């Protein structure tokens, strides 16, 4: 049996935008989730988790919650992806933190071009400093191109601009053709916007970094930014977003599903779950993964003895949940007269990664 592909998320942004802060937040807030981190820089890796785990050499760090951090050059990327996606590494997701002066499309191209069947591209996240956006754009006009190919834009340090300036920035960024846009302070976004998190109670036999932080800082100690660690700093992120859960016992119509996905509102950041296409592929269910405008389907065998059912979760902000539910309710096949022909699956298969030769 082949293991499920590991999503690879590219995290980009110019120097000072808050990439490392966001990455540290993901490491703290994704309790139980095993995260591999590739840092596209030689030299020091400025991840504050090292103060707990200790540095094990100048290229690799092993953290208590299974995170692996590797400082590499872009030319070595495929070698490290091959190492990190081995089944015995048991990683749930890999995050590539690009250099502040890197061209993110080059990293994206390398991930998409990888022949590693265990790799699944998970989207490009571009972090923007709200307070310094104009100055950054003047110094680095290429940021417009980066935003244009991003699947999710994080407008970070939103607390440093007033409401009017924030609205102007959001409109300007959307005008550059970027993907979904979410605002953040201190890089605090919900990890579920980027990848599937393990349940809080699930463990892999190790003490997690978050456990250490809660033990050390549970009495209200503060971090370097003057904000408390632990749940007061990392918790309750779902309060900023809305979610819609959808299940269906009847198979979904591929064409109607794709029409729905193509027309999803800009506030809908994340879609995840499994889709049943019925007789069009009776052996497999299709894992669906969307971040911003990025979309992938991954077929996998139905679990033996399990119930065959579609289950999808949608996460966003400012979305019309009632309207979304109405659209979702229209996706299942209603009867023999509504049965789709096999050609309707072609649209879905366009979003399935190529199957390697010989598989």
């Amino acid at each position: 049996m082949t293991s499920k592909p590991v999503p690879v998320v590219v995290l980009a942004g110019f120097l000072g935008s808050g990439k490392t802060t966001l990455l540290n937040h993901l490491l703290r807030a994704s309790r139980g989730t095993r995260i591999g981190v590739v840092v596209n820089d030689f030299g020091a890796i400025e991840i504050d988790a090292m103060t707990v785990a200790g540095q094990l050499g100048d290229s690799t760090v092993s953290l208590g919650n299974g995170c692996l951090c590797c400082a590499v050059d872009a030319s070595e990327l495929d070698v490290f992806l091959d190492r990190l996606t081995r089944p015995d590494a048991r990683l749930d997701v890999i995050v590539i933190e690009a250099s502040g002066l890197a061209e993110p499309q080059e990293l994206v191209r390398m991930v998409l071009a990888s022949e590693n069947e265990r790799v699944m591209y998970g989207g490009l996240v571009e972090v923007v400093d709200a307070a310094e956006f104009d100055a950054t754009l003047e110094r680095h006009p290429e940021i417009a191109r980066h935003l244009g190919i991003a699947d999710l834009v994080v407008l970070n340090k939103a607390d440093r601009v007033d409401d009017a300036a924030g609205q102007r920035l959001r409109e300007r960024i959307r005008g550059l053709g970027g993907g979904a846009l979410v605002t953040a302070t201190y890089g605090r976004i919900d990890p579920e916007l980027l990848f599937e998190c393990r349940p809080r109670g699930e463990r892999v036999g190790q003490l997690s970094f978050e456990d250490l932080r809660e033990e050390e800082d549970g009495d209200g100690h503060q971090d370097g930014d003057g904000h408390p660690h632990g749940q007061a700093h990392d918790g309750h992120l779902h309060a900023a977003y809305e979610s819609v859960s959808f299940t269906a016992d009847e198979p979904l119509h591929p064409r109607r599903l794709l029409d729905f996905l193509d027309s999803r509102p800009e506030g809908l950041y994340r879609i995840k779950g499994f889709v049943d296409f019925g007789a069009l592929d009776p052996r497999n269910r299709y894992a669906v993964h969307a971040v911003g405008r990025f979309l992938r389907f991954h077929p996998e065998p139905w679990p033996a003895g399990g119930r065959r059912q579609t289950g999808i979760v949608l996460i966003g902000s400012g979305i019309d949940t009632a309207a979304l539910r109405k659209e979702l309710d229209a996706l299942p096949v209603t009867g023999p007269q509504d049965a789709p022909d096999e050609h309707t699956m072609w649209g879905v298969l366009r979003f399935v990664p190529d199957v390697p030769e010989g598989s």
Side-chain angles (χ1 to χ4, degrees):
M1 293 182 62
T2 59
S3 58
K4 186 175 180 180
V6 179
V8 179
V9 177
V10 177
L11 178 62
F14 282 92
L15 295 169
S17 61
K19 297 190 305 299
T20 301
T21 300
L22 190 151
L23 178 56
N24 286 332
H25 165 70
L26 294 178
L27 295 176
R28 290 195 298 264
S30 304
R31 168 181 281 188
T33 304
R34 295 175 64 88
I35 305 174
V37 179
V38 177
V39 181
N40 180 217
D41 260 332
F42 279 113
I45 308 173
E46 296 180 357
I47 298 178
D48 63 9
M50 288 185 180
T51 61
V52 174
Q55 187 166 338
L56 307 179
D58 60 3
S59 64
T60 304
V61 172
S62 178
L63 302 180
N65 65 346
C67 303
L68 301 173
C69 303
C70 310
V72 301
D73 183 76
S75 63
E76 301 175 296
L77 182 58
D78 214 33
V79 175
F80 274 82
L81 289 180
D82 185 63
R83 179 191 300 179
L84 294 174
T85 56
R86 289 199 305 257
D88 57 359
R90 295 182 298 159
L91 293 181
D92 299 304
V93 62
I94 296 170
V95 179
I96 301 175
E97 183 187 1
S99 161
L101 299 177
E103 286 290 339
Q105 62 264 39
E106 176 63 15
L107 293 172
V108 169
R109 183 193 65 77
M110 293 182 70
V111 175
L112 291 173
S114 174
E115 296 182 357
N116 186 340
E117 65 184 39
R118 300 187 298 269
V119 165
M120 178 181 73
Y121 175 60
L124 169 62
V125 180
E126 181 78 17
V127 184
V128 174
D129 184 334
E132 299 293 332
F133 179 77
D134 291 333
T136 302
L137 183 61
E138 183 176 350
R139 291 194 307 271
H140 304 287
E142 60 269 30
I143 192 175
R145 183 175 69 254
H146 298 177
L147 290 169
I149 64 172
D151 299 294
L152 180 68
V153 178
V154 178
L155 186 59
N156 197 30
K157 307 182 185 180
D159 59 318
R160 299 187 182 180
V161 297
D162 59 32
D163 291 343
Q167 180 61 29
R168 177 183 62 82
L169 280 173
R170 288 189 290 272
E171 293 174 357
R172 191 173 182 186
I173 290 171
R174 290 188 178 112
L176 293 173
L181 175 64
V182 59
T183 59
T185 301
Y186 298 100
R188 296 179 66 239
I189 66 171
D190 194 326
E192 292 277 359
L193 295 180
L194 304 181
F195 50 79
E196 189 80 13
C197 291
R198 289 177 183 262
R200 278 187 166 267
E202 189 170 345
R203 281 290 185 272
V204 290
Q206 297 174 327
L207 179 66
S208 77
F209 174 50
E210 185 180 2
D211 289 334
L212 294 175
R213 293 294 289 265
E214 287 183 357
E215 288 177 10
E216 293 178 354
D217 299 302
D219 57 356
H221 290 180
Q222 295 184 331
D223 61 22
D225 292 321
H227 285 71
H229 287 312
Q231 293 185 357
H233 186 59
D234 294 322
H236 309 297
L237 289 169
H238 282 295
Y241 309 106
E242 301 165 280
S243 65
V244 175
S245 298
F246 171 74
T247 60
D249 293 323
E250 296 297 326
L252 299 196
H253 195 293
R255 182 173 296 127
R256 290 202 292 269
L257 174 61
L258 287 175
D259 287 344
F260 169 78
L261 294 172
D262 286 340
S263 62
R264 58 191 185 273
E266 63 182 20
L268 186 57
Y269 307 130
R270 177 86 158 89
I271 301 173
K272 59 181 181 177
F274 295 95
V275 178
D276 176 18
F277 289 117
L280 295 177
D281 190 347
R283 295 187 306 168
N284 295 310
R285 63 181 184 177
Y286 282 68
V288 57
H289 167 78
V291 176
R293 64 187 179 187
F294 172 77
L295 174 65
R296 279 291 184 273
F297 286 98
H298 177 71
E300 59 181 60
W302 284 99
R307 183 178 183 181
R308 299 200 171 195
Q309 184 184 58
T310 291
I312 304 174
V313 176
L314 302 86
I315 303 172
S317 178
I319 56 177
D320 186 337
T321 57
L324 285 175
R325 290 183 188 279
K326 184 176 180 180
E327 292 183 63
L328 290 166
D329 287 339
L331 298 182
V333 176
T334 58
Q337 74 285 354
D338 188 39
D341 61 56
E342 61 182 15
H343 299 98
T344 59
M345 279 295 289
W346 291 356
V348 171
L349 296 178
R350 287 193 301 112
F351 297 98
V352 173
D354 292 336
V355 178
E357 293 184 6
S359 61

